[in-house]
Amino acid sequence: MKKEDFIMDEHKDELHWFEKLPNEERDKQRSRRRKDKRSIFTSDKLEQNEKTVSFEKYTTETERWINEVGIYLKNTDRKDWAWNALRGVLHALRDRIPPEEVFQFSAQLPMLIRGLFFTGYNINNKPEKFHLNGFTDRIEDALGPAAEIEAEVAFKAVLMVLYGHISEGELQDIHATLPKDIRKLWDRSTKKHTV
């Protein structure tokens, strides 16, 4: 056998880009591609369902917190008041405590409430130096003029929810960083949970 014949025989089954596949081989490749497409679509649907379930979990947790704040406010019909109370208290606390405590505290918040907590947060010049009047003014501003809630009542409602979901140690750490007049309000608001 000549060397050229050997080379020709060796590459006999090799196809080039310009040649057509035999029918049998073409059908196998088409079938394989269809299976691959189906598995891609199936895994995409499963992944999408998992994301939907996770998102529903986050919204359920957030709704639970808002409902609990509403219960402590003695007004479960006005979810907007509960949301604004939660936002106002969390932002007032966030701006008054050191950044290390902000991040430790936020780690225990539900995902969507953590987003609310950090909305507008700037780590520079923190903690801000304000006392009780500045603290309650911030909560009143968040509540808005239409809400029939006092800042101290909103603070107490949110604290009660926090004591139900956040570790006692973390709340004690936050309490310890606050000025004396805000700590007194905290203690009055949580006689049962006095730190």
Side-chain angles (χ1 to χ4, degrees):
M1 185 180 241
K2 294 180 185 178
K3 185 178 177 182
E4 295 152 357
D5 292 337
F6 177 74
I7 293 172
M8 293 296 283
D9 286 342
E10 186 181 289
H11 298 291
K12 186 177 181 182
D13 294 333
E14 188 177 307
L15 287 175
H16 299 284
W17 66 269
F18 53 84
E19 297 175 326
K20 290 187 175 182
L21 285 173
N23 287 340
E24 186 178 300
E25 184 63 29
R26 188 174 51 230
D27 292 343
K28 283 181 187 175
Q29 284 191 359
R30 281 183 183 160
S31 176
R32 212 175 301 128
R33 280 194 303 261
R34 282 189 198 120
K35 284 180 185 175
D36 289 346
K37 275 186 179 179
R38 273 183 264 154
S39 67
I40 289 170
F41 290 129
T42 305
S43 67
D44 284 350
K45 285 182 182 179
L46 288 173
E47 191 175 311
Q48 186 177 8
N49 286 340
E50 288 173 4
K51 287 178 183 174
T52 303
V53 170
S54 295
F55 189 73
E56 287 173 5
K57 174 187 161 203
Y58 299 142
T59 56
T60 302
E61 287 175 331
T62 302
E63 281 184 46
R64 185 179 312 123
W65 279 53
I66 292 168
N67 290 337
E68 289 176 21
V69 172
I71 290 167
Y72 285 114
L73 290 175
K74 295 179 175 56
N75 192 332
T76 54
D77 295 335
R78 296 300 306 259
K79 303 235 186 266
D80 57 329
W81 291 0
W83 176 257
N84 289 337
L86 182 62
R87 179 172 51 91
V89 171
L90 288 178
H91 283 187
L93 286 171
R94 175 200 73 189
D95 291 340
R96 191 58 185 90
I97 63 178
E100 311 85 61
E101 286 303 326
V102 167
F103 293 109
Q104 289 173 13
F105 175 59
S106 72
Q108 295 187 39
L109 296 172
M111 182 68 72
L112 297 179
I113 294 176
R114 190 177 314 144
L116 163 75
F117 183 67
F118 280 113
T119 300
Y121 183 64
N122 184 343
I123 198 167
N124 295 326
N125 303 318
K126 295 294 189 278
E128 294 178 28
K129 303 294 181 193
F130 53 83
H131 289 274
L132 184 60
N133 288 339
F135 189 76
T136 55
D137 286 348
R138 287 166 184 255
I139 296 170
E140 284 175 9
D141 288 346
L143 289 169
E148 299 167 6
I149 307 165
E150 293 178 16
E152 290 187 21
V153 172
F155 182 60
K156 180 177 182 173
V158 172
L159 275 181
M160 295 295 98
V161 173
L162 293 177
Y163 273 101
H165 297 280
I166 304 296
S167 73
E168 186 102 19
E170 183 57 41
L171 293 172
Q172 287 174 351
D173 290 348
I174 292 170
H175 181 273
T177 65
L178 296 172
K180 191 174 187 177
D181 54 354
I182 299 175
R183 285 198 317 263
K184 283 183 179 178
L185 172 62
W186 183 305
D187 296 341
R188 278 195 317 267
S189 299
T190 59
K191 287 179 185 167
K192 175 180 152 189
H193 296 286
T194 301
V195 190

